[in-house]
Coordinates of all heavy atoms in Angstrom, one line a residue:
Y17 N -0.5 -19.4 -14.4 CA 0.0 -18.4 -13.5 C 1.5 -18.0 -13.8 O 2.3 -18.9 -14.0 CB -0.1 -18.8 -12.0 CG -1.5 -19.0 -11.6 CD1 -2.1 -20.2 -11.5 CD2 -2.3 -17.9 -11.3 CE1 -3.4 -20.4 -11.1 CE2 -3.7 -18.0 -11.0 CZ -4.2 -19.3 -10.8 OH -5.5 -19.5 -10.5
A18 N 1.8 -16.8 -13.8 CA 3.2 -16.3 -14.0 C 3.8 -16.1 -12.7 O 3.3 -15.4 -11.8 CB 3.2 -15.1 -14.9
G19 N 5.0 -16.7 -12.5 CA 5.7 -16.4 -11.2 C 6.5 -15.1 -11.3 O 7.1 -14.9 -12.4
I20 N 6.4 -14.3 -10.3 CA 7.1 -13.1 -10.4 C 8.6 -13.2 -10.0 O 9.4 -12.3 -10.1 CB 6.5 -11.9 -9.5 CG1 6.5 -12.3 -8.0 CG2 5.1 -11.6 -10.0 CD1 6.1 -11.1 -7.2
G21 N 8.9 -14.4 -9.5 CA 10.3 -14.6 -9.0 C 11.4 -14.5 -10.1 O 12.5 -14.2 -9.8
Q22 N 11.0 -14.7 -11.3 CA 11.9 -14.5 -12.4 C 11.7 -13.3 -13.3 O 12.4 -13.1 -14.3 CB 11.9 -15.8 -13.3 CG 12.2 -17.0 -12.6 CD 12.0 -18.3 -13.5 OE1 11.6 -18.2 -14.6 NE2 12.3 -19.4 -12.9
T23 N 10.8 -12.4 -12.8 CA 10.5 -11.2 -13.5 C 11.5 -10.1 -13.3 O 11.7 -9.3 -14.1 CB 9.1 -10.7 -13.2 OG1 8.2 -11.8 -13.4 CG2 8.7 -9.5 -14.0
I24 N 12.1 -10.1 -12.1 CA 13.1 -9.1 -11.8 C 14.5 -9.7 -11.6 O 14.6 -10.8 -10.9 CB 12.7 -8.4 -10.4 CG1 11.3 -7.9 -10.5 CG2 13.7 -7.3 -10.1 CD1 11.0 -6.9 -11.6
T25 N 15.5 -9.2 -12.3 CA 16.8 -9.7 -12.2 C 17.8 -8.6 -11.9 O 17.6 -7.4 -12.1 CB 17.2 -10.4 -13.6 OG1 17.1 -9.4 -14.6 CG2 16.3 -11.5 -13.9
C26 N 18.9 -9.0 -11.3 CA 20.1 -8.1 -11.1 C 21.2 -8.7 -11.8 O 21.7 -9.8 -11.5 CB 20.4 -8.0 -9.6 SG 19.0 -7.3 -8.6
T27 N 21.7 -8.1 -12.9 CA 22.8 -8.6 -13.7 C 24.0 -7.7 -13.6 O 23.9 -6.5 -14.0 CB 22.3 -8.7 -15.2 OG1 21.1 -9.5 -15.2 CG2 23.3 -9.4 -16.1
P28 N 25.1 -8.2 -13.2 CA 26.3 -7.3 -13.2 C 26.6 -6.8 -14.6 O 26.5 -7.5 -15.5 CB 27.4 -8.3 -12.7 CG 26.7 -9.4 -12.0 CD 25.4 -9.5 -12.7
G29 N 26.9 -5.5 -14.6 CA 27.2 -4.9 -15.9 C 26.0 -4.4 -16.7 O 26.1 -3.7 -17.7
L30 N 24.8 -4.6 -16.1 CA 23.6 -4.1 -16.7 C 22.9 -3.2 -15.7 O 22.5 -3.6 -14.7 CB 22.6 -5.3 -17.1 CG 21.3 -4.8 -17.7 CD1 21.5 -4.2 -19.1 CD2 20.3 -6.0 -17.8
Q31 N 22.9 -1.9 -16.1 CA 22.3 -0.9 -15.2 C 23.0 -0.9 -13.8 O 22.3 -0.7 -12.8 CB 20.8 -1.0 -15.1 CG 20.1 -0.8 -16.4 CD 20.1 0.6 -17.0 OE1 21.0 1.4 -16.7 NE2 19.1 0.9 -17.8
G32 N 24.3 -1.1 -13.8 CA 25.0 -1.1 -12.5 C 24.6 -2.2 -11.6 O 24.8 -2.1 -10.4
G33 N 24.0 -3.3 -12.1 CA 23.6 -4.4 -11.3 C 22.3 -4.2 -10.5 O 21.9 -5.0 -9.7
Q34 N 21.7 -3.1 -10.8 CA 20.4 -2.7 -10.1 C 19.3 -3.6 -10.6 O 19.3 -4.2 -11.7 CB 20.0 -1.3 -10.4 CG 21.0 -0.3 -9.7 CD 20.5 1.1 -9.9 OE1 19.3 1.4 -9.9 NE2 21.4 2.1 -9.9
P35 N 18.3 -3.9 -9.8 CA 17.1 -4.7 -10.2 C 16.4 -4.1 -11.4 O 16.1 -2.9 -11.4 CB 16.2 -4.6 -8.9 CG 17.1 -4.2 -7.8 CD 18.1 -3.4 -8.4
C36 N 16.2 -5.0 -12.4 CA 15.6 -4.6 -13.6 C 14.5 -5.6 -14.0 O 14.6 -6.8 -13.5 CB 16.6 -4.6 -14.8 SG 17.8 -3.3 -14.7
V37 N 13.6 -5.2 -14.9 CA 12.6 -6.2 -15.4 C 13.4 -7.1 -16.3 O 14.2 -6.7 -17.2 CB 11.5 -5.4 -16.2 CG1 10.6 -6.4 -16.9 CG2 10.7 -4.5 -15.3
A38 N 13.3 -8.4 -16.1 CA 14.1 -9.4 -16.8 C 13.9 -9.2 -18.3 O 12.9 -8.9 -18.9 CB 13.6 -10.8 -16.5
G39 N 15.1 -9.3 -19.0 CA 15.1 -9.2 -20.5 C 15.0 -7.7 -21.0 O 14.9 -7.5 -22.2
T40 N 15.1 -6.8 -20.1 CA 15.0 -5.4 -20.5 C 16.1 -4.6 -19.7 O 16.8 -5.2 -18.8 CB 13.7 -4.7 -20.1 OG1 13.6 -4.5 -18.7 CG2 12.5 -5.6 -20.6
R41 N 16.3 -3.4 -20.0 CA 17.2 -2.5 -19.2 C 16.4 -1.6 -18.3 O 16.9 -0.6 -17.7 CB 18.0 -1.7 -20.2 CG 18.9 -2.5 -21.1 CD 19.7 -1.7 -22.1 NE 20.6 -0.8 -21.4 CZ 21.8 -1.1 -20.9 NH1 22.3 -2.3 -21.0 NH2 22.6 -0.1 -20.3
M42 N 15.1 -1.9 -18.1 CA 14.2 -1.0 -17.3 C 14.4 -1.3 -15.8 O 14.1 -2.4 -15.4 CB 12.7 -1.2 -17.7 CG 11.8 -0.4 -16.9 SD 12.1 1.4 -17.0 CE 11.5 1.7 -18.6
R43 N 14.9 -0.3 -15.1 CA 15.2 -0.5 -13.7 C 13.9 -0.4 -12.9 O 13.0 0.4 -13.2 CB 16.1 0.6 -13.2 CG 17.5 0.5 -13.8 CD 18.4 1.6 -13.4 NE 17.8 2.9 -13.6 CZ 18.0 4.0 -12.8 NH1 18.8 4.0 -11.8 NH2 17.3 5.1 -13.1
V44 N 13.8 -1.2 -11.8 CA 12.7 -1.1 -10.9 C 12.6 0.3 -10.3 O 11.5 0.9 -10.2 CB 12.9 -2.1 -9.7 CG1 11.9 -1.8 -8.6 CG2 12.8 -3.5 -10.2
R45 N 13.7 1.0 -10.1 CA 13.7 2.3 -9.6 C 13.0 3.3 -10.5 O 12.2 4.2 -10.1 CB 15.2 2.8 -9.3 CG 15.2 4.2 -8.7 CD 16.6 4.6 -8.4 NE 16.6 5.9 -7.6 CZ 17.6 6.4 -7.1 NH1 18.8 5.9 -7.2 NH2 17.5 7.5 -6.4
T46 N 13.3 3.2 -11.8 CA 12.6 4.0 -12.8 C 11.1 3.8 -12.7 O 10.3 4.8 -12.8 CB 13.1 3.7 -14.2 OG1 14.6 4.0 -14.2 CG2 12.5 4.6 -15.2
L47 N 10.7 2.6 -12.6 CA 9.2 2.3 -12.6 C 8.6 2.8 -11.3 O 7.5 3.4 -11.4 CB 9.0 0.8 -12.8 CG 9.4 0.2 -14.1 CD1 9.3 -1.3 -14.1 CD2 8.6 0.8 -15.2
V48 N 9.3 2.7 -10.2 CA 8.8 3.3 -9.0 C 8.7 4.8 -9.1 O 7.6 5.4 -8.7 CB 9.7 2.9 -7.8 CG1 9.3 3.7 -6.5 CG2 9.6 1.4 -7.5
D49 N 9.7 5.4 -9.7 CA 9.6 6.9 -9.9 C 8.5 7.3 -10.7 O 7.8 8.3 -10.4 CB 10.9 7.4 -10.5 CG 12.1 7.3 -9.5 OD1 11.9 7.2 -8.3 OD2 13.3 7.4 -10.0
L50 N 8.2 6.6 -11.8 CA 7.1 6.9 -12.7 C 5.8 6.8 -12.0 O 4.9 7.6 -12.2 CB 7.2 6.1 -14.0 CG 8.4 6.4 -14.9 CD1 8.5 5.3 -16.0 CD2 8.2 7.7 -15.5
T51 N 5.6 5.7 -11.2 CA 4.3 5.6 -10.6 C 4.2 6.6 -9.5 O 3.0 7.1 -9.2 CB 4.2 4.1 -10.0 OG1 5.2 3.9 -9.1 CG2 4.1 3.1 -11.1
E52 N 5.3 7.0 -8.8 CA 5.2 8.1 -7.8 C 4.8 9.4 -8.4 O 4.3 10.3 -7.8 CB 6.5 8.2 -7.0 CG 6.6 7.0 -6.0 CD 7.9 7.0 -5.3 OE1 8.8 7.8 -5.6 OE2 8.0 6.3 -4.3
R53 N 5.1 9.6 -9.7 CA 4.7 10.8 -10.4 C 3.3 10.7 -10.9 O 2.8 11.7 -11.6 CB 5.6 11.0 -11.6 CG 7.0 11.4 -11.3 CD 7.9 11.6 -12.5 NE 9.3 11.6 -12.1 CZ 10.3 11.5 -12.9 NH1 10.0 11.3 -14.2 NH2 11.5 11.5 -12.5
G54 N 2.6 9.6 -10.6 CA 1.2 9.5 -11.0 C 0.8 8.7 -12.2 O -0.4 8.5 -12.5
L55 N 1.8 8.1 -12.8 CA 1.5 7.2 -14.0 C 1.1 5.8 -13.5 O 1.6 5.3 -12.6 CB 2.7 7.1 -14.9 CG 3.2 8.3 -15.7 CD1 4.5 8.1 -16.4 CD2 2.1 8.7 -16.7
A56 N 0.0 5.3 -14.2 CA -0.4 4.0 -13.9 C 0.4 3.0 -14.7 O 1.0 3.3 -15.7 CB -1.9 3.8 -14.4
P57 N 0.6 1.8 -14.2 CA 1.4 0.8 -14.9 C 0.9 0.6 -16.4 O 1.8 0.4 -17.2 CB 1.1 -0.5 -14.1 CG 1.0 0.0 -12.7 CD 0.1 1.3 -12.9
E58 N -0.3 0.7 -16.6 CA -0.8 0.6 -18.0 C -0.3 1.7 -18.9 O 0.0 1.5 -20.1 CB -2.4 0.5 -18.0 CG -2.9 -0.8 -17.4 CD -2.9 -0.8 -15.9 OE1 -2.7 0.2 -15.3 OE2 -3.2 -1.9 -15.4
E59 N -0.3 2.9 -18.3 CA 0.3 4.1 -19.0 C 1.8 3.9 -19.3 O 2.2 4.2 -20.4 CB 0.0 5.4 -18.3 CG -1.4 5.8 -18.1 CD -1.6 6.9 -17.2 OE1 -1.2 6.8 -16.0 OE2 -2.0 8.0 -17.7

Side-chain angles (χ1 to χ4, degrees):
Y17 297 102
I20 64 169
Q22 297 175 2
T23 305
I24 306 302
T25 59
C26 298
T27 306
L30 179 66
Q31 298 290 26
Q34 293 187 27
C36 293
V37 174
T40 74
R41 299 179 60 83
M42 181 58 74
R43 296 177 306 149
V44 169
R45 183 176 189 173
T46 302
L47 295 172
V48 170
D49 289 345
L50 291 170
T51 58
E52 287 179 348
R53 291 181 192 163
L55 290 172
E58 292 77 10
E59 292 174 297

